[in-house]
Amino acid sequence: MQMFRSIMAAAGASTPFEITNSGDFEQANSEYLSRTQSGDQRLCTFSWWQYVESTGSTLRMVTGSSGESWLYYGANTWPQLSILDGGGAHAYANDGITAGEWRHIVMHVDTENATAADRLILFIDGVEKTYTSGGGISQNDDSSFNDGSTNYIGSSSSGSQNYDGLLSQLYWISGQKLAPSEFGYNDDTGWTAKAFTGTFGANDSYLTFDDSGTIGADSSGNSNTWTDNNTVGQSATVPPYGVYTAPTAATVTKSGDFETTESDSMSRTQSGDQKTWTFSTWIKFESIGAIQGIFSGSGTEASCYIDASNRITLNVHGGATLTCTNTVSSATWHHIVFRYDTTQGAESDRMRCYLDGVLCTKSSGTYVALDYAISKWFDGNTNYIGRHYTAAYYLDGLMSETYAISGQSLSPYAFAYDNGGTWSPKTYTRDFGANDSYLQFTNTGDLGEDTGSGNSNDWTNSGVATSSTIPPSG
């Protein structure tokens, strides 16, 4: 469990931001917050970080003065968002909401919006979710949020269906529709809380849960304090937080040209952390429709490739295979990142693949077991790039900006960024461990030279040529 993490401001960044506490809501004690809340009933934004501690029963997060307006998690629909009489309830698939994990929720109410689908919107960790069932919201309907009556945090309007878990950095904003990027951002390890620098209206609240004596104290400057019912506790367990710093475009000048017909590849005796690692690379496939290796450990228990249907696949050990629905195309640069971390409690967080910055959806396969430590990547034996360990399935295409990182599970944002709508390589700013390597393919005499990490963890080149064709850069 992550207690806290402070990222100090870098050049060009804002004032350092720190989260020190969260509110601890115990369902068994029927703990919740309430307040006579006025404001805009048609336009509002809610934002909070949550750490659910138990599932299996209905958990109410925020509720208006009646049962007509709420966001809750239930045994059958996780989550469900409703405005007015339940007729506008939107149910969503349980996408990333698990016990024991921090998740950031942003909820928009905008009933005056001319587009029906935009009148209720839910974001999880910065990503807008599509509801799986539910009716439309009538234009110009008044919710029971901000209606001048008692509104609730952590319970229904009757004080029941209580939330069980931690809440942190809760914003109740009236009259504004604010993007998730106002409250969080993608950093090297994932979605991260940041300071809100916008303007608070007179009816807004911002709960930091820093005052244990008045746990519902408002930090917006409005003194819109929420009443503590049945003694909500305080916890030092908080979500990841930091200070956003604008990325710098990487200087990319070369790529490696792997030819299937020539059996081109690279190899290295590679040691490191077999429980936690990241592999990141850019690839421009010159042909598709056949199995092609991207990287491989010394045996069957770590191999990454595209299959004959152009789907990205990761094998880790017998029975653990992640095949994605996402597909690659030829003659296009793709950024591919694999995060492997068997220490994660949620099985879907142990094997993750990203294509061009987007988390891939699993098509089939079984996730690796908790704390499994026998992947063949970083196992002290010969590992490979651009082929399968059996000397087959060679890559046919260009490869650039290739990282093998031991002991860290990193998001795509550690290696790339959205450059005005174009996903592009960025300067890597984290420290390299002793077992890491970073191939830039710039030394034509030794194309497998580890030119970027400072470790001289060179790869042996078998036929790979140099190319000046590079990924899109800033």
Side-chain angles (χ1 to χ4, degrees):
M1 182 183 302
Q2 185 166 8
M3 298 301 291
F4 64 87
R5 174 165 56 87
S6 178
I7 302 174
M8 301 301 290
S14 56
T15 303
F17 169 61
E18 185 176 16
I19 302 174
T20 56
N21 293 291
S22 60
D24 190 352
F25 293 70
E26 294 291 341
Q27 186 182 62
N29 299 331
S30 301
E31 298 169 4
Y32 65 96
L33 302 176
S34 61
R35 181 174 183 271
T36 301
Q37 177 71 28
S38 298
D40 196 323
Q41 294 175 252
R42 299 182 180 182
L43 180 63
C44 39
T45 298
F46 304 85
S47 170
W48 66 84
W49 285 80
Q50 64 184 38
Y51 186 96
V52 177
E53 293 180 338
S54 69
T55 60
S57 61
T58 299
L59 306 178
R60 194 77 67 136
M61 305 304 298
V62 291
T63 309
S65 66
S66 72
E68 298 178 351
S69 304
W70 34 255
L71 174 69
Y72 79 76
Y73 305 110
N76 297 318
T77 53
W78 278 61
Q80 187 162 339
L81 174 59
S82 175
I83 296 293
L84 294 177
D85 300 324
H90 287 180
Y92 299 80
N94 181 11
D95 186 0
I97 305 297
T98 57
E101 298 283 340
W102 279 108
R103 292 291 183 263
H104 182 226
I105 307 298
V106 171
M107 168 180 151
H108 287 167
V109 176
D110 182 12
T111 68
E112 294 184 354
N113 200 299
T115 302
D118 292 341
R119 293 173 195 155
L120 278 183
I121 301 178
L122 181 70
F123 302 85
I124 300 177
D125 291 345
V127 178
E128 182 177 348
K129 299 303 174 181
T130 301
Y131 62 89
T132 56
S133 64
I137 308 300
S138 298
Q139 191 173 17
N140 300 324
D141 275 346
D142 289 329
S143 73
S144 65
F145 294 119
N146 302 321
D147 65 349
S149 300
T150 305
N151 286 200
Y152 304 84
I153 296 171
S155 79
S156 69
S157 56
S158 62
S160 62
Q161 298 179 336
N162 299 89
Y163 173 61
D164 192 34
L166 307 179
L167 290 179
S168 186
Q169 296 294 294
L170 190 145
Y171 294 83
W172 189 296
I173 305 290
S174 169
Q176 298 186 70
K177 188 175 183 179
L178 301 174
S181 57
E182 296 283 348
F183 311 100
Y185 68 101
N186 276 299
D187 83 342
D188 295 351
T189 56
W191 191 251
T192 301
K194 74 173 187 178
F196 174 63
T197 58
T199 302
F200 289 107
N203 295 301
D204 298 346
S205 305
Y206 167 38
L207 306 188
T208 62
F209 305 99
D210 285 339
D211 187 344
S212 60
T214 309
I215 201 70
D218 172 28
S219 298
S220 73
N222 290 322
S223 299
N224 291 331
T225 297
W226 289 69
T227 300
D228 181 7
N229 298 277
N230 302 320
T231 316
V232 174
Q234 186 186 68
S235 173
T237 301
V238 298
Y241 63 89
V243 176
Y244 174 75
T245 303
T248 302
T251 301
V252 185
T253 60
K254 298 291 182 180
S255 63
D257 189 353
F258 292 71
E259 295 288 345
T260 296
T261 56
E262 301 296 330
S263 301
D264 297 341
S265 66
M266 292 189 173
S267 60
R268 178 176 179 268
T269 301
Q270 178 172 249
S271 299
D273 192 328
Q274 292 178 262
K275 284 188 176 183
T276 305
W277 47 262
T278 305
F279 183 87
S280 171
T281 191
W282 287 80
I283 298 179
K284 185 178 183 180
F285 294 95
E286 295 180 344
S287 66
I288 55 176
I291 298 174
Q292 295 185 49
I294 297 174
F295 69 87
S296 176
S298 64
T300 58
E301 297 188 339
S303 60
C304 166
Y305 55 90
I306 61 167
D307 66 11
S309 298
N310 308 320
R311 301 176 302 178
I312 303 170
T313 300
L314 175 65
N315 289 334
V316 176
H317 77 296
T321 301
L322 174 65
T323 299
C324 301
T325 59
N326 311 65
T327 58
V328 301
S329 58
S330 63
T332 299
W333 278 105
H334 289 293
H335 182 219
I336 299 173
V337 174
F338 290 94
R339 300 177 70 174
Y340 183 75
D341 186 359
T342 66
T343 68
Q344 293 294 319
E347 63 175 12
S348 60
D349 289 342
R350 297 174 201 155
M351 297 166 61
R352 284 175 283 186
C353 172
Y354 299 82
L355 180 63
D356 300 330
V358 178
L359 179 63
C360 296
T361 303
K362 184 179 82 167
S363 171
S364 62
T366 303
Y367 292 111
V368 70
L370 181 67
D371 286 326
Y372 186 81
I374 318 177
S375 80
K376 297 295 186 180
W377 190 247
F378 288 112
D379 67 343
N381 295 306
T382 304
N383 290 187
Y384 304 92
I385 292 175
R387 53 163 274 194
H388 190 259
Y389 80 99
T390 58
Y393 307 126
Y394 288 90
L395 175 66
D396 188 28
L398 305 178
M399 181 178 286
S400 186
E401 293 292 290
T402 302
Y403 295 81
I405 304 293
S406 169
Q408 299 185 72
S409 174
L410 302 177
S411 84
Y413 288 85
F415 311 99
Y417 71 112
D418 184 350
N419 180 22
T422 300
W423 192 248
S424 304
K426 81 165 193 177
T427 301
Y428 183 78
T429 58
R430 299 180 70 88
D431 292 334
F432 286 102
N435 295 303
D436 299 345
S437 59
Y438 169 28
L439 303 185
Q440 298 169 297
F441 305 99
T442 53
N443 184 351
T444 55
D446 184 7
L447 213 59
E449 182 183 3
D450 173 19
T451 54
S453 78
N455 291 322
S456 298
N457 290 331
D458 299 342
W459 291 72
T460 299
N461 181 21
S462 297
V464 180
T466 187
S467 171
S468 297
T469 302
I470 60 173
S473 57

